[in-house]
Each structure stands twice: as structure tokens, then as C-alpha cells.
Amino acid sequence: MKFICVILLILTGVTQSDEYEVIGPSAPVMTVSGEDVILPCSIKPNISAVNMRVEWIRLDLKGSIVHRYEDHKDINTDQLQSYRGRTQVFKEELEKGNTSLKLSRVQISDEGLYKCFIQSQSWSDDITVDLRVEAVGRPLVITVDGFDGSGGLRLQCESKGWNPEPDLVWLNSEGVTLTSESPDTHRDDTDGFSVKHKITVYNTDTKYHCRVRMNHHMMETEIITSSKMFHSWRSSVILISVAVVLSVIAGILITRFVRKQRDLQREEQRIQNEREPLLMTVKNVTSLLRKHAVNVTLDADSAHPRLIVSHDGKQVRCENKQLERVKNEDTGQNYTFDSRFCVAGNEGFSSGCFYYEVQVKGVDCWRVGVTRESAQRKGLFSMEHQDGYWTVCLSGHRYYAGEKHVVLSLSVNPERIGVFVDYEKGRVSFYDVESMYHIHSFTAQSFTKKLYPLLFLESSVPLIICRDLS
Ligand SMILES: *[C@@H]1O[C@H](CO)[C@@H](O)[C@H](O)[C@H]1NC(C)=O
Ligand SMILES: *[C@@H]1O[C@H](CO)[C@@H](O)[C@H](O)[C@H]1NC(C)=O
Ligand SMILES: *[C@@H]1O[C@H](CO)[C@@H](O)[C@H](O)[C@H]1NC(C)=O
């Protein structure tokens, strides 16, 4: 009897220690394309999974293997090709019953249902993890799609690479939504959603906006149609000038002028061939902006004591040692920055448009923009637009507009930043000069005082005001 009891105890002991529950997140796991993500999965109670089989499987892809751990090692011979080299279980965590999967460099095609299946000698259980991948699409491309029979101009707006599906709308200059003629949405497993809408417009000298929204991301670009008479004895010329663009809300914005321009040029060629008397010109954004270039020099007296301005006022770098600039502080000059590492330009502007470029190459902490005359310069002030600072910055490998509330997502690191101000329109725009990506704009500001160029840096590599803008 005693013997049987002992056997029973052992048996119950064994079964009990071997029964477990697999647990995971109740809500979908959200991530962003390009990032790494951990799909949580663990055993409760937290017994070791080192001797168990752990399988991560794509339920929505006929149970294909994403990752397998068995006999104390990863066995990925029959793993789905697209997951090669991107999956990992945490060996040291397995002991604690943590069988989470790390998936690196997430792609849109990774979105789906993942089963975490755990098997021991005598027991098995699983849970399903729902992975959602968000991807912000590529810049909008507006194409002029020819003329219709009644003299209307057909415009097409397209953007690719979104997930989930975004909303695309055309708006007129008053912000009224226009009805698209042939909305076209297309999904590709690897590239996500691409959207394309066409409209026909009859008005010249007006702006049309194309806007794409997905969750809290928005991209916008605009086209200006204008008609002018050239060679009046012969032809009427339609001038499409693709002007300043794009605005970012809560994040992300870039546009690819180069591509748009190429499309427009191709179109120009086609239309020219089709209709002899019509000719189309595309104005180059760079030359539009540089038309307003001004000769910026830095005001050494305004500079923080750790900033060293070159004799010609075209460069500034940051030194560890404080300069002897007691003189300024003693006379209490209000315009010297004493706390934030800033320097302002010598000359301020209070009308029209102005533009300057700064080389930021190799500088890992910088801020570029404009400041209002009499904005606070002493102490640790804020550099938001409501405080009289309109800037973009690089800090900790991330780009921001203003202080760090608006994160900008750039696909390349700009080497040169273009700053454009339209005083009357209340606009400050920033461009990556090389690609003419529009980085960010502050719009609908109201300027009442002079605006001065402003630089900030924490680096011994200098920021350089560019001279070659003609
Ligand atoms: C398991 O969890 C308990 C309580 O949550 C904790 O005290 C214990 O250290 C864990 N065991 C391991 C192996 O992580
Ligand atoms: C499992 O391990 C990963 C990687 O160390 C960790 O991020 C995660 O929080 C762990 N999960 C649990 C439930 O301990
Ligand atoms: C820019 O301004 C500085 C100082 O006023 C002057 O010395 C320089 O010649 C100017 N450069 C150009 C290109 O006008």
C-alpha cells in the first residue's frame, strides 16, 4: 500500500510539473516597417523550456515555419525563405520559460498570425500572436496625364508603399475635396498598398493639393497650374510650375521632386509630340528657392561663449573651453546666448522671401532655422515656434521640428539644409538640398518682427553657411 502511494505521488508530481499553459499578448502587436520586434510568448508557471520544442508558425501562410527550436538548438532547415537570418529566440530566457521571438528588420509581408507552439515530453500548448506592421509610403508623385477633349488638364496623384490602406484625396485651393475619376488601390504582399487617383481640372493659376492619410501620418503635395502667353503669334503656353510643397503633420514628410520632375518632363515630351502648339515647362525647385538667396553672416557677439565664429562669419564650431567673452555679459547685452549653444545672423529680414543653406555634414547635433528679433536668448528657453524659433534639428540620430515633439522621418541624412522664409505668407520651410526633399514647413505663422537666421550646435565639426548658391 505504502509502495502504491509513493508511485501515485511520483506520478501526480510528474504530471503536475509537466502541465503548463502558454501565454501571450491579448492585443495585436504593432510595429513599424524596418524596426525589430519581439513577439511575446511564455510558459506559465515559468518552468524551463530548454528541453522543449518551440515552434513559431505563420498560421495564415499554411503553417509555414518561422522559427524552430528543438534538441537544445535552432533547427531552421525548413524555415520560410523570407525569414532567413531575421529570427531569434532568447537562449538565456528559455530557462525562465520565456519563448518570445525576436524578428529583425520587419517587412510589410511579416504582417499576419503567428502561432507559438510549445511541446514537452508529455504536454503541449500554444497561443496565437497577431502582428501588425505599419509602413509610411513613399512621397506622392503628381503626373500631368494630358488633356481631355474639352480642354481640361488631367492630373494624377500616386503614392506607394503604405500599410494599412491609406486615404488619398485631391483638394482644391480652398481645401474642398474633389471627386476622383478613377480611384485605384492595389495591394502587394511585399510593398503594401499603392493608391492612385485622377482628376480633370479646368482652372489655371490655381493650386491643387493631393493628400494621403494613414493613422496619424499625412503627406501632402501641391501643383500650381498657370497659363501664360508666349510667342502669341504662334502658340499658347501652359506653364506648370511645381512649387513649394508638402506639409507634415505629426511626423513624416518627404517629397521626391526629382522623380516628379522626370515624370513631368516625360509628359511634357509626350504632350509636345501630341499637340504641336502646346509646350510645358517645369520650374526647378532649387532655382526657385535660390532666387531668394541672401548673404548670411553670423554675428559673433550673439554667439554662446563656447561657440567660435570664423572671421568671415560663415562658419561656427563648438569648443570645450569657454571663450573670454565677459565683456558682453558685463554690458548686459540681451542678444548674447548665455545658455543654449546658439548664434544668430547679423542681418534680419522683415519682408519678402529669403533663403540660405547650411552645410551640416559630419555634425551630429545641430539645429538650423530662424528666430524672431527680441525672442528670449538668455537662460534655458524653449525653441518652439510660439517662442519665436522656427527650426529643425538633429539630436541623438533623430530629426525633429521645433523642440522634440514633432519627429521627422528622413530616408537619407541631409548634408546641406536649405531654409526658406516667406515673410508675408508666414511660412518657414526646410529642404534637404541634395535631393530637394521637403523636410518640414511651419505655415500660417504671423511674423511681426525681424527674423534672423539661427544656428545651434554641439560639435567641433563646424556648421558652414554655403556661398555657392548661384
Ligand atoms: C518564476 O516566477 C517567480 C515568481 O514570478 C520568480 O520568483 C522566479 O524567480 C521565476 N523563476 C525563474 C526561473 O525565472
Ligand atoms: C522575454 O525576453 C525578452 C528578451 O530579453 C524580453 O524582452 C521579454 O520582456 C521577456 N518576456 C517575459 C515575459 O519575461
Ligand atoms: C557677404 O557679406 C560680407 C559682409 O558684409 C561681405 O564681406 C561679402 O563680400 C559678402 N559676400 C557676397 C557674395 O556678397
Side-chain angles (χ1 to χ4, degrees):
M1 189 61 198
K2 212 171 168 186
F3 179 68
I4 292 171
C5 279
V6 170
I7 298 266
L8 273 178
L9 267 178
I10 293 173
L11 280 179
T12 33
V14 167
T15 23
Q16 267 170 4
S17 76
D18 226 28
E19 276 182 30
Y20 51 84
E21 191 189 349
V22 173
I23 53 172
S26 47
V29 173
M30 316 292 268
T31 189
V32 175
S33 161
E35 310 251 289
D36 299 348
V37 69
I38 291 175
L39 302 182
C41 178
S42 53
I43 302 175
K44 189 177 149 196
N46 56 358
I47 49 173
S48 168
V50 169
N51 297 318
M52 300 185 187
R53 180 152 79 117
V54 178
E55 262 182 9
W56 280 93
I57 294 163
R58 264 301 279 274
L59 274 185
D60 52 339
L61 292 181
K62 304 194 190 99
S64 314
I65 301 288
V66 172
H67 192 95
R68 175 185 288 144
Y69 168 90
E70 197 176 2
D71 296 335
H72 307 108
K73 53 184 185 290
D74 297 317
I75 300 180
N76 279 324
T77 42
D78 49 1
Q79 181 187 38
L80 262 178
Q81 184 69 33
S82 62
Y83 288 98
R84 279 285 138 86
R86 294 198 295 127
T87 59
Q88 183 195 338
V89 289
F90 301 94
K91 296 287 150 57
E92 67 288 359
E93 291 284 325
L94 288 175
E95 273 170 38
K96 304 181 218 162
N98 179 352
T99 55
S100 301
L101 181 78
K102 179 175 178 187
L103 182 55
S104 306
R105 301 182 302 282
V106 169
Q107 307 164 356
I108 292 177
S109 57
D110 293 339
E111 181 167 288
L113 297 175
Y114 291 75
K115 181 151 114 177
C116 170
F117 171 81
I118 303 178
Q119 187 173 44
S120 69
Q121 300 282 338
S122 55
W123 189 257
S124 73
D125 192 19
D126 63 72
I127 47 113
T128 300
V129 179
D130 183 358
L131 177 66
R132 309 269 172 89
V133 179
E134 187 177 81
V136 174
R138 294 190 288 280
L140 308 178
V141 177
I142 293 185
T143 318
V144 179
D145 201 26
F147 294 85
D148 75 353
S150 55
L153 187 63
R154 278 203 300 267
L155 302 176
Q156 173 186 292
C157 179
E158 182 171 20
S159 183
K160 297 178 177 173
W162 295 85
N163 199 57
E165 184 178 350
D167 284 326
L168 188 153
V169 285
W170 273 103
L171 308 164
N172 68 12
S173 55
E174 272 98 49
V176 177
T177 306
L178 304 169
T179 313
S180 302
E181 281 150 26
S182 46
D184 178 15
T185 305
H186 175 80
R187 181 176 150 92
D188 179 275
D189 276 346
T190 55
D191 197 33
F193 288 91
S194 62
V195 281
K196 184 157 68 178
H197 286 209
K198 289 182 190 175
I199 50 168
T200 304
V201 301
Y202 297 89
N203 295 343
T204 51
D205 293 315
T206 183
K207 260 188 229 174
Y208 294 93
H209 304 259
C210 175
R211 178 182 293 168
V212 177
R213 260 183 217 269
M214 188 266 299
N215 299 341
H216 59 285
H217 302 289
M218 181 174 111
M219 271 191 200
E220 187 173 303
T221 188
E222 66 191 33
I223 184 163
I224 300 169
T225 57
S226 67
S227 96
K228 288 214 177 115
M229 296 298 284
F230 286 96
H231 314 294
S232 50
W233 55 273
R234 190 173 147 84
S235 62
S236 102
V237 177
I238 296 206
L239 184 82
I240 306 271
S241 73
V242 178
V244 196
V245 218
L246 279 179
S247 46
V248 187
I249 286 182
I252 304 205
L253 262 237
I254 315 157
T255 206
R256 187 118 207 207
F257 267 104
V258 185
R259 198 187 303 164
K260 191 189 296 172
Q261 207 173 310
R262 201 180 51 214
D263 287 346
L264 278 169
Q265 271 162 356
R266 208 176 287 149
E267 195 54 33
E268 174 189 352
Q269 193 59 45
R270 197 173 70 77
I271 292 167
Q272 221 171 326
N273 294 345
E274 239 171 51
R275 293 200 167 201
E276 243 286 292
L278 284 166
L279 189 92
M280 204 165 277
T281 329
V282 178
K283 275 197 186 169
N284 181 309
V285 183
T286 318
S287 63
L288 269 178
L289 293 172
R290 285 187 175 168
K291 227 168 55 187
H292 301 287
V294 290
N295 178 12
V296 170
T297 52
L298 299 171
D299 176 4
D301 286 341
S302 74
H304 183 276
R306 267 178 61 180
L307 298 186
I308 301 190
V309 177
S310 64
H311 285 304
D312 62 0
K314 290 290 189 184
Q315 294 196 18
V316 58
R317 67 192 160 83
C318 186
E319 281 280 300
N320 280 329
K321 206 163 77 59
Q322 298 225 347
L323 283 183
E324 299 270 321
R325 237 159 346 92
V326 189
K327 199 175 55 197
N328 286 336
E329 266 128 35
D330 278 351
T331 55
Q333 290 193 34
N334 257 341
Y335 69 92
T336 302
F337 294 93
D338 63 355
S339 172
R340 301 200 71 166
F341 296 171
C342 295
V343 56
N346 270 311
E347 200 187 340
F349 302 88
S350 53
S351 65
C353 296
F354 69 96
Y355 177 74
Y356 74 100
E357 292 180 6
V358 184
Q359 184 180 312
V360 296
K361 190 177 172 183
V363 182
D364 54 13
C365 185
W366 53 258
R367 181 181 288 276
V368 165
V370 293
T371 179
R372 185 179 61 210
E373 177 170 38
S374 77
Q376 185 179 345
R377 293 186 177 186
K378 298 288 188 194
L380 273 175
F381 53 88
S382 147
M383 291 212 234
E384 292 291 3
H385 59 92
Q386 54 274 28
D387 306 308
Y389 286 85
W390 294 267
T391 60
V392 294
C393 74
L394 170 65
S395 174
H397 306 290
R398 305 193 80 165
Y399 295 92
Y400 303 92
E403 292 291 352
K404 298 183 181 168
H405 303 305
V406 179
V407 181
L408 306 173
S409 157
L410 308 185
S411 56
V412 287
N413 296 324
E415 299 193 337
R416 209 186 246 218
I417 301 290
V419 182
F420 173 80
V421 177
D422 185 331
Y423 194 93
E424 276 79 26
K425 288 211 177 118
R427 175 176 203 125
V428 183
S429 297
F430 300 88
Y431 298 86
D432 169 4
V433 174
E434 187 123 306
S435 57
M436 264 302 135
Y437 275 166
H438 168 267
I439 296 173
H440 184 74
S441 282
F442 295 94
T443 54
Q445 306 291 305
S446 83
F447 301 134
T448 49
K449 298 218 166 94
K450 273 190 180 175
L451 297 178
Y452 288 84
L454 178 95
L455 305 183
F456 161 97
L457 88 159
E458 260 179 79
S459 153
S460 54
V461 180
L463 288 177
I464 304 173
I465 308 279
C466 304
R467 298 164 182 272
D468 52 342
L469 306 192
S470 43

